[in-house]
Amino acid sequence: MHVSPDPITNPQQAAQERDTLLDLIARGLYCTTASALGAGHDEPSAEALTKARAVADDYVAAYEEWLVKITAANAAGGPR
């Protein structure tokens, strides 16, 4: 993941960072679910990661939409 204080300046960097974020969230979802079910913490299968990644993508997409709305509200200068 991008840990430098330098901003992301191109679509390729942004896509790579989003992809990394999705992987991290998907693994977190898998581990949380496995732990809640009392399962072991083995390496998740490709199928499990694919399913978790779809859920992670939904979360990230909702967050991105929220950020766009906040940015628009801030640009408008109206009350929040």
Side-chain angles (χ1 to χ4, degrees):
M1 234 169 133
H2 188 81
V3 294
S4 168
D6 299 328
I8 295 171
T9 58
N10 64 58
Q12 293 80 16
Q13 283 178 313
Q16 182 179 8
E17 292 302 313
R18 189 177 195 281
D19 195 51
T20 300
L21 182 61
L22 290 177
D23 284 342
L24 291 172
I25 293 171
R27 286 182 180 278
L29 288 170
Y30 173 83
C31 289
T32 301
T33 304
S35 179
L37 296 174
H41 288 282
D42 298 331
E43 186 68 22
S45 68
E47 180 184 1
L49 282 177
T50 299
K51 289 179 180 179
R53 191 176 166 99
V55 174
D57 188 53
D58 288 345
Y59 280 110
V60 171
Y63 180 68
E64 289 167 340
E65 288 178 24
W66 176 78
L67 286 176
V68 168
K69 288 179 185 175
I70 292 296
T71 302
N74 287 342
R80 291 178 213 140

